[in-house]
Amino acid sequence: MKKLILITIVLISFSMKTNAQGFYIGLQGGLHNVWLNNVNPLWSAVDTTRNKSKDKLSSVGNTFRGSFGMQAGYDFTKHFGIVAELNYLGQGYSYQDSSIAKGLINGQYSSNYIQIPLMVKLTSGKDGNGIFVMGGPNYSLLQTATLTESSNNNKFVTNTLDLLAKNYVLKQDIGITAAIGIQFRAAEHFQFSFGFKGNFSLSDINNLKSATSNYSVPKVNNGSVGINLGAAYHF
């Protein structure tokens, strides 16, 4: 009985040590090239009888948004672990259009989400140094959304219109987060990482409902790819 108790204490102590070594927390952030997959224009209805909306934008461009957040992970082995994050993530896009009444229109859509990814992480190398890949589902909750259009139909007057885009966007978004990069230990407990991260929406965020016959509302999805930097403390 004493031997069994002693063995149990040793196993528990070893397990606690292993858990402490495997658990880490950190901060991370990045700059991302962001877009929406269907913006012709963003919240318009597509005329299915003509295969093209009369309001099709003349120019759509990606834009850049930042992200920052916290990270917590656990390494089960040197090469396998799980990672959870809590991020503040920017999305959006920019566009140009033209009309006889308004002249050249410059538009800017910007949204911000609280995002929670849960990912599996695979790492090569040893001693905390090497290449890593990770990926998994994410859940995002909309915080803000603005859509503004500025037009200048003469040399002296510029009109700016806020289109209250938050009314057109669903509050929740579900997608996939994936990353690849390198990590290295600068000290016994500190680890730094550099890589590329992508966020890809799987759900339609368009909240506009068309009441016009022969029209269908386009599906709209968020997307972003960019660089990501991180620093973590291993217990």
Side-chain angles (χ1 to χ4, degrees):
M1 185 66 179
K2 291 182 179 180
K3 290 184 178 180
L4 180 60
I5 294 175
L6 181 60
I7 292 172
T8 303
I9 292 174
V10 171
L11 290 175
I12 292 174
S13 299
F14 178 77
S15 176
M16 291 177 65
K17 183 178 179 181
T18 302
N19 289 343
Q21 290 176 340
F23 178 71
Y24 60 91
I25 58 174
L27 300 174
Q28 53 88 34
L31 181 65
H32 305 271
N33 185 14
V34 300
W35 66 86
L36 297 177
N37 73 312
N38 195 344
V39 286
N40 296 329
L42 175 57
W43 313 119
S44 73
V46 177
D47 187 345
T48 57
T49 61
R50 299 177 183 174
N51 299 320
K52 182 185 295 186
S53 172
K54 291 181 178 180
D55 298 322
K56 184 176 178 64
L57 298 181
S58 57
S59 174
V60 177
N62 297 4
T63 188
F64 290 90
R65 295 286 188 273
S67 69
F68 61 90
M70 299 180 295
Q71 184 182 80
Y74 183 82
D75 292 329
F76 294 98
T77 70
K78 294 180 180 180
H79 305 295
F80 173 75
I82 57 174
V83 180
E85 296 180 350
L86 179 64
N87 299 320
Y88 190 77
L89 174 68
Q91 296 281 169
Y93 83 114
S94 61
Y95 63 89
Q96 284 189 334
D97 197 5
S98 60
S99 68
I100 297 176
K102 296 182 180 180
L104 181 65
I105 299 172
N106 292 293
Q108 189 73 228
Y109 169 72
S110 178
S111 62
N112 293 293
Y113 289 84
I114 294 294
Q115 183 199 58
I116 306 174
L118 180 61
M119 297 173 285
V120 172
K121 182 178 181 181
L122 303 176
T123 308
S124 66
K126 59 181 181 179
D127 301 326
N129 301 306
I131 298 173
F132 69 86
V133 294
M134 59 184 184
N138 68 58
Y139 170 79
S140 300
L141 187 64
L142 182 68
Q143 302 300 299
T144 63
T146 58
L147 176 61
T148 58
E149 289 186 341
S150 298
S151 61
N152 190 348
N153 55 1
N154 59 58
K155 297 181 179 180
F156 307 103
V157 180
T158 299
N159 299 313
T160 301
L161 178 64
D162 185 352
L163 302 180
L164 302 175
K166 195 171 184 179
N167 297 330
Y168 305 149
V169 186
L170 290 176
K171 303 302 183 290
Q172 301 178 71
D173 190 15
I174 296 174
I176 294 175
T177 297
I180 183 170
I182 58 174
Q183 63 183 31
F184 60 94
R185 287 282 181 94
E188 181 179 359
H189 295 286
F190 290 96
Q191 180 173 286
F192 297 91
S193 63
F194 169 80
F196 299 92
K197 179 182 286 187
N199 298 285
F200 309 98
S201 175
L202 299 178
S203 57
D204 180 13
I205 65 169
N206 196 343
N207 196 36
L208 179 68
K209 306 300 180 184
S210 176
T212 307
S213 59
N214 297 325
Y215 277 74
S216 61
V217 178
K219 292 183 178 180
V220 180
N221 304 95
N222 287 310
S224 67
V225 173
I227 59 174
N228 199 75
L229 302 174
Y233 180 85
H234 284 249
F235 291 89

